[in-house]
Amino acid sequence: MNRVYNFSAGPSVLPEAVLKRAQEEMLCYGDSGMSVMEMSHRSKVYESIINGAESLLREVMNIPDNYKVLFLQGGASSQFAMIPLNLMRKGKIDLVLTGQWAKKAKAEASRYGEVNVVASSEDKTFSYIPELDSSKFNPDADYFYICENNTIYGTKFHKLPETGNVPLISDLSSCILSEPIDVSKYGLIFAGAQKNMGPAGLTVVIVREDLLGYCKDFTPTMFKYSTHVENGSMFNTPPTYAIYICKLVLEWIKNDIGGLEKMKEINEKKAKMLYDFLDSSSMFKATVSPESRSLMNVPFVTGNEELDAKFVKEAAAAGLVNLKGHRSVGGMRASIYNAMPVEGVEKLIAFMADFEKNN
Ligand SMILES: *Cc1c(COP(=O)(O)O)cnc(C)c1O
């Protein structure tokens, strides 16, 4: 069986070099005599894995020392509750409504306080990032929340909101590690690992120290950031194997790719090829306006549902899989995360050109 080009939105493609390395180390990691999966998380050898993952993440993302890095579980979705439970003080936040994930974050935050929707793109099925009018920002808000890359709709904030002293909180699940970012511009960022960092089961949180310590009294112990800060993400058993794979992914970015500047160049090249093709095609059309387009998730349509379905089916038969769009948007979506090789995008474009000729 040959490996396919997997355009899944998540869990998604991993670098082949990472999978091979994991295969080599599957039965016996180093001289431990066992698989990483079988290790005590309290052992010296595992300690070197989790500490290595954290220091690599700090190095690759250039995370300042006054930020804590946490390796948690519960998915990005748990953060929708953990963030208000830990960071709400006065009980008012600002939020930009750019899709389903921001909507879910809003619903959870609304259980604990008041959510001021600063702007929304719901009027046009979230196909753009709305202009922000800073006179609508609440200068007294506990934080300002955005979903930076909208996985389902294929939109991305290309400019961060200027929130002044109000901490910016960002869901980076589907764009973390895709390009360099200035961590110091944020109060907290988080990501489910299964898009661009590793396998499902791991959630990474990066939080500025001074925001901690205001947790609501009734917060369950496992939902307090301080619990995990105080215990080095080892209050209970962390997702040990997922953290190990994440470490291998970070090594791949650092050593094989050459860091996030290089990663960004490759991602921009892949995205440009695909958007250029879509903008010149008479059959396929990108659904997102050029100024809001994501580097990672590229939704497109033919305008004809039957033709869309035929395309998805024939593409899969040709080894280009998981191109069906999200059920709320329809059409197609190509997720071209870090681990999707340039050849995968080239093959997809060649297949689309052929399909266009024949249909
Ligand atoms: C996938 C995704 C989520 C949900 O992640 P889970 O780990 O499944 O909870 C949240 N936000 C964004 C932007 C996503 O892409």
Side-chain angles (χ1 to χ4, degrees):
M1 186 77 197
N2 287 327
R3 278 175 62 80
V4 293
Y5 288 107
N6 177 10
F7 295 92
S8 167
S12 26
V13 56
L14 283 165
E16 211 163 277
V18 165
L19 296 175
K20 284 195 172 132
R21 173 86 183 273
Q23 182 179 41
E24 283 162 19
E25 294 176 338
M26 175 61 75
L27 292 182
C28 184
Y29 177 83
D31 56 11
S32 70
M34 62 181 83
S35 171
V36 174
M37 271 183 265
E38 303 171 298
M39 282 173 192
S40 163
H41 58 295
R42 309 279 177 205
S43 62
K44 273 270 171 298
V45 57
Y46 191 75
E47 211 171 277
S48 76
I49 293 176
I50 191 167
N51 292 342
E54 174 170 343
S55 56
L56 270 165
L57 186 66
R58 286 185 177 276
E59 181 185 345
V60 167
M61 288 185 69
N62 198 15
I63 301 172
D65 289 343
N66 62 324
Y67 285 74
K68 299 291 186 192
V69 172
L70 304 176
F71 295 113
L72 308 180
Q73 304 186 56
S77 299
S78 287
Q79 294 310 309
F80 300 160
M82 260 177 111
I83 290 164
L85 282 168
N86 284 272
L87 304 190
M88 258 190 192
R89 293 156 75 172
K90 290 166 277 184
K92 288 188 176 168
I93 68 158
D94 282 350
L95 176 145
V96 186
L97 195 61
T98 52
Q100 297 302 334
W101 297 120
K103 201 176 246 187
K104 287 185 171 160
K106 174 175 176 270
E108 285 300 313
S110 301
R111 295 158 61 89
Y112 310 106
E114 226 174 276
V115 181
N116 170 36
V117 176
V118 169
S120 164
S121 52
E122 193 163 21
D123 59 334
K124 291 183 184 156
T125 330
F126 300 117
S127 60
Y128 67 104
I129 298 292
E131 279 291 327
L132 301 182
D133 169 2
S134 59
S135 73
K136 294 200 175 147
F137 298 9
N138 173 7
D140 266 341
D142 290 328
Y143 56 85
F144 190 110
Y145 184 98
I146 61 170
C147 178
E148 199 156 323
N149 185 76
N150 294 274
T151 325
I152 297 174
Y153 305 94
T155 63
K156 176 176 195 284
F157 282 82
H158 288 287
K159 203 173 101 262
L160 292 180
E162 298 281 350
T163 62
N165 287 329
V166 175
L168 181 65
I169 311 290
S170 180
D171 180 351
L172 285 175
S173 291
S174 51
C175 62
I176 194 164
L177 301 175
S178 66
E179 60 181 347
I181 60 164
D182 181 353
V183 174
S184 72
K185 291 224 158 79
Y186 303 86
L188 180 150
I189 59 190
F190 68 99
Q194 70 273 21
K195 316 289 171 47
N196 226 4
M197 304 188 92
L202 167 66
T203 308
V204 172
V205 173
I206 302 168
V207 56
R208 216 175 65 207
E209 274 167 359
D210 62 285
L211 299 177
L212 300 169
Y214 301 98
C215 190
K216 295 187 189 301
D217 289 340
F218 57 78
T219 306
T221 306
M222 276 294 286
F223 264 47
K224 291 181 179 169
Y225 290 132
S226 58
T227 300
H228 302 287
V229 167
E230 284 157 18
N231 292 280
S233 299
M234 296 260 221
F235 171 73
N236 69 327
T237 317
T240 52
Y241 197 76
I243 293 168
Y244 155 73
I245 298 287
C246 180
K247 176 171 178 276
L248 296 185
V249 168
L250 290 162
E251 282 169 359
W252 173 78
I253 291 175
K254 182 185 165 189
N255 302 326
D256 298 27
I257 299 294
L260 289 186
E261 280 295 347
K262 275 278 179 336
M263 196 76 253
K264 178 184 185 181
E265 265 174 47
I266 300 169
N267 286 329
E268 282 179 340
K269 177 180 172 186
K270 287 186 290 181
K272 183 174 186 317
M273 277 165 39
L274 188 50
Y275 285 121
D276 282 352
F277 173 80
L278 288 166
D279 290 341
S280 68
S281 164
S282 51
M283 176 182 280
F284 298 101
K285 207 167 91 307
T287 57
V288 173
S289 40
E291 66 285 358
S292 301
R293 286 175 178 174
S294 165
L295 276 183
M296 297 278 99
N297 312 98
V298 183
F300 55 97
V301 294
T302 64
N304 173 331
E305 274 181 38
E306 273 167 40
L307 204 55
D308 287 351
K310 183 165 188 254
F311 174 80
V312 169
K313 196 168 159 223
E314 290 182 9
L320 306 162
V321 311
N322 287 322
L323 283 163
K324 192 169 167 16
H326 189 270
R327 58 194 182 278
S328 64
V329 183
M332 282 73 71
R333 170 178 50 174
S335 293
I336 49 175
Y337 295 120
N338 286 355
M340 172 58 64
V342 174
E343 310 88 77
V345 179
E346 286 169 347
K347 288 253 162 64
L348 171 64
I349 293 171
F351 182 83
M352 289 166 80
D354 260 357
F355 187 88
E356 187 168 334
K357 236 178 272 151
N358 302 331
N359 286 275

